[in-house]
Every structure is written in structure tokens, then in C-alpha cells.
Amino acid sequence: MPELVTANDTLILTAVLAYLLGSIPFGVLVTRAMGLGDLRSIGSGNIGATNVLRTGNKGAALATLLLDGGKGALAVLLARAFVGAEDAAQLAGLAAFLGHLYPGWLGFRGGKGVATCLGLMLALDWRVGLACCATWVVIVALTRISSIGALVSAAVSPLWLIAFSNGRMLFLVIILTVLIYIRHAANLARIKAGTEPKIGRKKPQG
């Protein structure tokens, strides 16, 4: 956990602004702009890149992935630039992540946070972020199931912190991991039942 050196009012303002940035529903905006319909009525109804891919438009899915990851990274980088302290940077990353998961604009029903989490991790410590991204890529390549890649990547992220001697991020990473598992509860049930859809296959409605 980083040393708390930033004034409380500055931390509160940082958290609010980062939450607003994180709550921008890029998946909904991208699919709407490209005439693909309302993402919330497609596939699982999730606003993330995996569900955007179910529209059949890989470009829209890639754009959503990059934008969702980018807002997590941008929140961290802006906090570092304007506040200049690690406690504010980590809080900004967490707030942006919560904004993606629970956006007020969408009735607090957002995405599952994988891209945003990877983006903020890259900005906080690029070594840990790259290791988590690589873990996701390898697991998805082996299983063709995005959710398994996300869950494994989240689960091993504390090990990457240990490998790179970055104990300051451990508390944050534990929170992120717990939230990712909570948001993937339905996926865990389908994985256990053997019904979790693979990348490239449309998920049945419901």
C-alpha cells in the first residue's frame, strides 16, 4: 500500500473525476456510432469488448478494448501528472475501475472491468501490466475463453507483484481481483457447467 501523503480533499476530487472518466461506456458508444444497435440488448448485454465482438465487428471490439483500457490508464497518468503522488494514482485507477463496473449513466450496470484493469495496471507498473496482459493472451490462446483468461490473469497478478518487488500495489490488486471475480460470478458458473461460450461463438440470449 502506498504512503498516504495527499490531502483528503484532493483525494476525493481525484476519485470523483476518475470515476466519471471510468464510467464512460465506450462499448455502448462505439456500437451505437457504428450502427450496430444497442449493445445492452446483444448477447450477454455486457458493455465490454467481448460482447461487442458478438456483433461480428472486430474493429468495434478492438476499439472498445483500447478505449476501456485507455480510460483506466489515463486516470492513473492524469493523477500522477496533476497530483504527483502514488496514493492519488492508485486511487484514481480504482475509481476509474469502479466507474466502469458501476456507471451511474447506465443505472450502475456496467462491464466486468478486465480491459480497464489491465490499462490501469500498465500505467501503474508497466512490468506488472505487461505480465498480466501476457497471462491473459496465453490462457485465451489455450482455451479460447475470454473469461478464463481474465480470471487466471487476475488470480496470478499478486504473484507478478512479488516477482517485480512491487508491494505498494498489493492492496489495490487484491481489491481489483475480488471485484473481477464478483463480476464474473455467472461466468464461473458456466465454466463449471461447461457452457461458457468460446471466442467467435455467439452466446444465446438470456
Side-chain angles (χ1 to χ4, degrees):
M1 187 172 179
E3 182 182 0
L4 298 179
V5 297
T6 304
N8 289 338
D9 55 348
T10 301
L11 287 175
I12 292 171
L13 179 61
T14 297
V16 170
L17 294 176
Y19 170 85
L20 293 174
L21 174 59
S23 68
I24 299 173
F26 283 117
V28 174
L29 297 177
V30 167
T31 51
R32 187 172 296 171
M34 299 182 71
L36 300 173
D38 186 350
L39 184 60
R40 292 167 293 178
S41 63
I42 297 171
S44 65
N46 189 267
I47 66 170
T50 300
N51 199 42
V52 174
L53 187 60
R54 295 190 179 106
T55 66
N57 192 312
K58 294 181 180 179
L62 178 60
T64 301
L65 179 69
L66 294 176
L67 288 168
D68 281 348
K71 66 187 181 184
L74 184 60
V76 171
L77 295 175
L78 287 176
R80 275 190 179 150
F82 289 100
V83 182
E86 194 63 19
D87 58 346
Q90 289 197 25
L91 179 61
L94 175 59
F97 182 73
L98 291 172
H100 180 76
L101 265 57
Y102 307 107
W105 330 107
L106 301 179
F108 301 99
R109 297 177 62 183
K112 297 182 180 178
V114 178
T116 304
C117 181
L118 291 175
L120 71 89
M121 294 276 279
L122 283 165
L124 285 168
D125 187 328
W126 64 268
R127 303 166 304 170
V128 176
L130 279 180
C132 289
C133 288
T135 301
W136 183 89
V137 169
V138 169
I139 298 301
V140 171
L142 292 173
T143 65
R144 305 301 299 170
I145 300 177
S146 178
S147 58
I148 293 181
L151 292 166
V152 173
S153 182
V156 302
S157 56
L159 300 180
W160 290 123
L161 289 179
I162 295 171
F164 293 112
S165 302
N166 190 341
R168 295 180 305 168
M169 286 174 55
L170 183 58
F171 185 65
L172 172 65
V173 165
I174 290 173
I175 294 175
L176 297 174
T177 298
V178 170
L179 287 171
I180 284 177
Y181 270 75
I182 290 173
R183 294 295 290 168
H184 282 79
N187 302 85
L188 283 166
R190 289 193 295 269
I191 290 169
K192 184 178 180 180
T195 58
E196 181 74 339
K198 295 188 176 183
I199 293 176
R201 296 182 185 177
K202 292 186 177 181
K203 180 183 181 297
Q205 297 287 341

